[in-house]
Amino acid sequence: KQEVTQIPAALSVPEGENLVLNCSFTDSAIYNLQWFRQDPGKGLTSLLLIQSSQREQTSGRLNASLDKSSGRSTLYIAASQPGDSATYLCAVTLANAGGTSYGKLTFGQGTILTVHP
Amino acid sequence: EAQVTQNPRYLITVTGKKLTVTCSQNMNHEYMSWYRQDPGLGLRQIYYSMNVEVTDKGDVPEGYKVSRKEKRNFPLILESPSPNQTSLYFCASKAGGFGYGYTFGSGTRLTVV
């Protein structure tokens, strides 16, 4: 059974800092990995998707990397801002024996990020 | 606008009174899925569907039903809600293929008293 762990559980940083959020997964046969942002009481906003064959993806100040063999992904946030304060969730989709996917997302518990001015 | 729409956003109901939470997507996605989110337990999958008339259980399907008669709709049915089904529910959809991720709805906060 796929298990996803995110470290740290919470992080508080001053504005302007570069930071790294970590995600690890137990089964390396993943189809893809997705990073989400969730504001309190709100829905999930997709930030980045990394396909199983890719090593990284970038969007603005965000960069996500994927190392399938070690079962790890990192989300790098450059020059953090108070508006980045949210919970960040990592989710993986397993590949099935045929190389496709049943589409099931397995989530980590999330990292609660607070960026203070 | 491409989106996943859930209704209602908030619902308070009594134990045993059947209810349906609707989910609709306008992106012609094949995959649709329901999740519940609980403090300390995170997001857990209830049911998923790979296409019309193809559904399967997720990790926590007990007490829930789904149907996928049309590609765009994937309602979640609670035949006899109980207080332990009080939760924040999310519907999500995605296209097939490696390069597509999930789009989530805004959530339905359900309270069963």
Side-chain angles (χ1 to χ4, degrees):
Chain A
K1 180 184 175 185
Q2 178 75 280
E3 292 183 1
V4 180
T5 303
Q6 291 187 245
I7 293 173
L11 184 61
S12 181
V13 300
E15 182 176 6
E17 235 179 61
N18 301 324
L19 54 98
V20 174
L21 308 182
N22 296 291
C23 171
S24 62
F25 46 93
T26 54
D27 189 336
S28 62
I30 65 169
Y31 192 70
N32 57 36
L33 183 146
Q34 203 167 354
W35 282 93
F36 293 91
R37 169 189 172 136
Q38 185 177 28
D39 294 290
K42 304 290 187 182
L44 281 69
T45 300
S46 180
L47 298 173
L48 289 165
L49 173 94
I50 309 178
Q51 300 176 39
S52 60
S53 59
Q54 296 176 326
R55 297 283 298 191
E56 66 177 329
Q57 282 287 337
T58 298
S59 176
R61 294 183 293 109
L62 305 179
N63 175 275
S65 67
L66 174 64
D67 185 342
K68 270 181 46 176
S69 60
S70 66
R72 294 182 182 179
S73 176
T74 61
L75 179 66
Y76 175 83
I77 302 176
S80 57
Q81 304 170 358
D84 294 331
S85 298
T87 298
Y88 290 79
L89 293 156
C90 167
V92 299
T93 303
L94 272 180
N96 59 29
T100 58
S101 170
Y102 297 122
K104 176 185 176 182
L105 277 172
T106 301
F107 283 88
Q109 292 286 332
T111 294
I112 302 171
L113 174 65
T114 303
V115 181
H116 48 89
Chain B
E1 180 188 354
Q3 59 186 358
V4 177
T5 303
Q6 293 179 231
N7 281 296
R9 291 292 310 277
Y10 302 92
L11 179 60
I12 302 175
T13 190
V14 296
T15 298
K17 185 177 181 181
K18 181 180 178 180
L19 66 91
T20 299
V21 183
T22 64
C23 174
S24 180
Q25 49 93 5
N26 61 1
M27 297 167 280
N28 202 37
H29 284 170
E30 289 83 8
Y31 290 84
M32 296 188 75
S33 188
W34 277 102
Y35 292 83
R36 61 178 289 175
Q37 186 175 33
D38 302 288
L41 297 175
L43 280 145
R44 295 175 293 168
Q45 190 183 52
I46 304 171
Y47 269 95
Y48 64 98
S49 169
M50 295 172 68
N51 215 321
V52 176
E53 303 290 3
V54 181
T55 63
D56 208 348
K57 298 176 181 178
D59 295 319
V60 287
E62 296 77 19
Y64 304 94
K65 285 177 57 178
V66 293
S67 67
R68 186 96 181 270
K69 293 183 171 57
E70 305 168 283
K71 199 171 188 180
R72 64 182 290 124
N73 296 321
F74 191 44
L76 180 69
I77 303 158
L78 286 72
E79 294 271 3
S80 182
S82 63
N84 65 12
Q85 293 179 297
T86 292
S87 186
L88 180 58
Y89 291 86
F90 290 104
C91 180
S93 73
K94 72 179 284 295
F98 288 98
Y100 300 98
Y102 272 96
T103 300
F104 276 73
S106 298
T108 295
R109 186 167 293 281
L110 172 65
T111 302
V112 183
V113 299

